[in-house]
Amino acid sequence: LINIEKTAIIVALGIDKAENEQIEVTAQIAVPQASNQNTTNSDAILSAKEKTLYGALEKISLQTGWYPKLTFCNLILIGSDLIKGEFMPIIDYVLTSNRFQNSAVLAVSEKKASDLLKATTPLDYISSFALQKILLRNLDRTSSVLVADVRKLCALSRSHSEFFYMPLIKE
């Protein structure tokens, strides 16, 4: 068992292309600080550069001393520079790893994914929660946004048509 104070609950990941064939992974971590006077939660943004997603998450873990818990990671943002290259091995790792949810929503950032996670928004205290509200709001009623999760993207990209889609988030 891992002590709760040593656990980093990652609620969103941003994956961007970095130099030297590395990727930069930005993790948005929910930091519970609720009390009787204050009912808001804050977040922490941590990032690391490495050649693989696993390596970057391990680097974040080593830097902070926290064990990264990805069970509640419901949003994975991919930077536009990375999406233009070979990003499917990263998605394949997310699909086959038992650390991630296969139902995590995928989206593409017009610029850097880390910038979206660092942005402040009046809609919610944690930026990834605000993005999820926009992407998933009224999904059953209007379906105004075509949402793609990890499982759906992998299934569509390996179909005969080799077609898939993800929402594009512009700043």
Side-chain angles (χ1 to χ4, degrees):
L1 294 175
I2 298 171
N3 194 346
I4 192 71
E5 287 87 22
K6 295 289 183 183
T7 304
I9 300 173
I10 298 175
V11 293
L13 282 180
I15 307 171
D16 293 300
K17 186 176 183 177
E19 64 278 347
N20 299 331
E21 297 183 16
Q22 291 185 330
I23 59 171
E24 179 182 6
V25 176
T26 305
Q28 188 171 48
I29 299 171
V31 181
Q33 296 177 343
S35 65
N36 291 341
Q37 293 81 22
N38 185 14
T39 59
T40 63
N41 290 338
S42 63
D43 66 337
I45 304 287
L46 303 170
S47 64
K49 294 178 184 176
E50 197 56 60
K51 289 197 180 283
T52 64
L53 179 58
Y54 175 81
L57 289 171
E58 287 300 310
K59 198 174 211 180
I60 289 172
S61 174
L62 290 173
Q63 288 172 354
T64 62
W66 292 341
Y67 176 76
K69 186 78 171 157
L70 293 158
T71 306
F72 300 101
C73 182
N74 294 324
L75 179 66
I76 300 173
L77 297 172
I78 302 171
S80 62
D81 288 343
L82 183 63
I83 205 78
K84 293 174 186 171
E86 188 61 33
F87 74 98
M88 281 308 290
I90 295 169
I91 302 301
D92 288 338
Y93 171 73
V94 171
L95 179 70
T96 57
S97 172
N98 59 0
R99 298 173 77 182
F100 290 90
Q101 293 185 49
N102 290 341
S103 61
V105 174
L106 294 169
V108 178
S109 171
E110 182 181 39
K111 296 180 182 172
K112 289 188 73 171
S114 60
D115 293 342
L116 275 178
L117 291 178
K118 292 174 185 174
T120 56
T121 173
L123 188 59
D124 209 323
Y125 293 104
I126 298 177
S127 61
S128 65
F129 291 171
L131 288 169
Q132 287 179 53
K133 286 177 182 177
I134 294 167
L135 292 172
L136 300 174
R137 185 182 71 191
N138 298 328
L139 188 63
D140 295 331
R141 286 192 247 153
T142 60
S143 295
S144 58
V145 177
L146 294 174
V147 179
D149 60 22
V150 174
R151 187 180 327 111
K152 187 183 292 183
L153 185 131
C154 287
L156 290 174
S157 67
R158 286 174 179 75
S159 68
H160 289 293
S161 65
E162 296 182 354
F163 166 81
F164 61 88
Y165 57 86
M166 285 188 279
L168 174 66
I169 300 172
K170 295 184 176 187
E171 295 179 44

